[in-house]
Amino acid sequence: MTAPHTASGAVATGLATVTPDGTVLDTWFPSPELVTEPGPAGSERLNPVHAGEALGESVAQILGPDPVRGVEIVAVRTVIASLADKPVDAHDAYLRLHLLSHRLVAPHGANLDGVFGLLANVAWTSLGPVQVDRVEEVRLAARATGAHLAVTSVDKFPRMTDYVVPAGVRIADADRVRLGAHLASGTTVMHEGFVNFNAGTLGTSMVEGRISAGVVVGDGSDIGGGASIMGTLSGGGKQTISLGERCLLGAEAGIGISLGDDCVVEAGLYVTAGTRVTLPDGETVKAVELSGASNLLYRRNSTTGTVEALQRTGSWGGLNAALHSHN
Ligand SMILES: CC(C)(COP(=O)(O)OP(=O)(O)OC[C@H]1O[C@@H](n2cnc3c(N)ncnc32)[C@H](O)[C@@H]1OP(=O)(O)O)[C@@H](O)C(=O)NCCC(=O)NCCSC(=O)CCC(=O)O
Ligand SMILES: O=C(O)C1=N[C@H](C(=O)O)CCC1
Ligand SMILES: [Mg+2]
């Protein structure tokens, strides 16, 4: 469960990868903490003694230059004065992403305004983060040491599992979950599933579709294979979408509105905010007017082509307990 959000800020000690021009490629915070009186925001570099006290003796071997990647590993102590304030730098942004993936804050529990501007675009490699414009140099340097450099992605966000592995989850393909995702215990993310930062699940869920940035999925809900949940970062989506508890978003279905509890969307039906939906009494409304309503079945009438919302009761079968009880 995500901790009740009473703390105003956070403090953590971590290891950052820094380029010669001072660009922060990443910061790993193994044990971030929420605190009520964190002090002024910002990051300070720690000397090896203080770093060792906070992170363990082995840190001494980690700190310093990495000649193959042309970067330096430094220890930092980062303070977030208030999670309501915007992040001030890359260390701060990384700490917020860690807080989400450690389930210390729920999606929307920390201000992430401007995060794309603070994070460098990074080549994520088998040797750790590398400057994008130095990949070929680093590849050669790696070969000289007998290592093969594998580049798994070029992105501003690393995959979550390289920084945080929350308890009680299964993730079939680690590339599909970005750092900053919030996966509650009991969540399974199958290969087609995807979970963006500042988004995720609040309880047991089967995720075989895409949970876009900002989207929150309630306990007991199932996101079917290839399903789409619209985000707000690009493409004009304006609604921040949530699904309530015990919902079923069918395979290849999609929603641009929120669902309350106990809703079902038929496989293959995309309900956008403007979709005209016919109600049982024959009235037609825009789907956005139903946003957040519970106990509805959305389907496209396969005889008439009309999208319908039917009142529903009872269970669609619910999650398969056997798939979730041993996460
Ligand atoms: C829409 C529903 C929920 C309907 O199913 P139900 O079991 O509630 O109802 P049903 O028994 O099929 O149908 C009840 C009555 O409604 C009728 N009926 C059903 N759908 C209709 C439609 N679209 N238009 C007109 N009538 C329809 C039936 O003929 C039947 O009529 P009579 O009463 O006259 O007989 C289903 O079709 C559906 O889409 N389920 C989603 C399943 C899903 O996608 N799960 C995620 C799996 S993810 C996965 O497997 C991975 C796959 C992947 O990776 O791609
Ligand atoms: O959790 C799993 O594992 C799942 N496996 C199914 C499969 O292998 O087909 C699909 C749903 C989840
Ligand atoms: Mg399986």
Side-chain angles (χ1 to χ4, degrees):
M1 289 293 292
T2 302
H5 187 197
T6 50
S8 59
V11 176
T13 301
L15 294 175
T17 309
V18 184
T19 69
D21 72 1
T23 303
V24 174
L25 298 184
D26 78 342
T27 312
W28 170 50
F29 296 104
S31 308
E33 286 178 42
L34 295 178
V35 285
T36 45
E37 291 181 19
S43 288
E44 56 168 336
R45 287 198 185 185
L46 300 182
N47 64 37
V49 174
H50 287 146
E53 284 164 8
L55 297 169
E57 278 175 19
S58 60
V59 158
Q61 290 135 48
I62 300 170
L63 296 177
D66 174 341
V68 173
R69 286 186 292 150
V71 294
E72 186 181 359
I73 310 303
V74 302
V76 292
R77 181 176 183 274
T78 296
V79 175
I80 296 172
S82 169
L83 293 168
D85 297 341
K86 293 180 191 179
V88 298
D89 60 18
H91 302 301
D92 180 327
Y94 265 93
L95 178 49
R96 288 169 204 246
L97 297 176
H98 280 75
L99 293 172
L100 284 156
S101 291
H102 277 281
R103 304 188 294 227
L104 292 169
V105 300
H108 307 290
N111 186 335
L112 290 171
D113 290 354
V115 71
F116 279 87
L118 295 173
L119 299 178
N121 193 27
V122 170
W124 301 100
T125 81
S126 46
L127 295 180
V130 167
Q131 274 173 274
V132 174
D133 58 3
R134 295 205 55 226
V135 168
E136 299 317 328
E137 259 174 85
V138 175
R139 209 190 296 279
L140 193 61
R143 293 244 173 159
T145 70
H148 175 84
L149 187 79
V151 180
T152 49
S153 69
V154 179
D155 190 11
K156 292 192 174 228
F157 297 79
R159 55 188 173 202
M160 181 184 77
T161 53
D162 289 348
Y163 292 79
V164 182
V165 177
V169 307
R170 293 191 292 132
I171 303 169
D173 181 348
D175 286 327
R176 305 285 294 175
V177 181
R178 271 174 153 183
L179 181 63
H182 179 286
L183 300 188
S185 182
T187 297
T188 292
V189 184
M190 291 295 286
H191 305 76
E192 287 299 313
F194 166 71
V195 188
N196 212 331
F197 70 95
N198 200 28
T201 58
L202 301 181
T204 301
S205 272
M206 177 57 67
V207 181
E208 301 192 78
R210 301 186 296 278
I211 299 180
S212 303
V215 171
V216 180
V217 174
D219 182 36
S221 288
D222 185 311
I223 312 301
S228 157
I229 308 173
M230 276 190 197
T232 50
L233 291 182
S234 176
K238 291 184 178 57
Q239 291 247 330
T240 300
I241 293 177
S242 60
L243 283 79
E245 300 189 350
R246 301 171 303 277
C247 289
L248 169 61
L249 185 55
E252 303 292 346
I255 49 172
I257 61 167
S258 292
L259 303 180
D261 296 332
D262 300 292
C263 289
V264 174
V265 180
E266 180 187 31
L269 170 64
Y270 211 120
V271 182
T272 65
T275 300
R276 309 274 172 158
V277 182
T278 300
L279 303 176
D281 64 3
E283 186 193 356
T284 297
V285 299
K286 289 188 183 175
V288 68
E289 294 176 45
L290 302 173
S291 186
S294 296
N295 301 108
L296 292 179
L297 163 65
Y298 293 90
R299 72 177 191 189
R300 185 179 295 278
N301 188 303
S302 54
T303 305
T304 65
T306 301
V307 176
E308 301 170 336
L310 307 181
Q311 201 70 37
R312 62 179 298 281
T313 53
S315 169
W316 43 269
L319 295 172
N320 179 349
L323 299 182
H324 297 275
S325 54
H326 303 294
N327 278 12

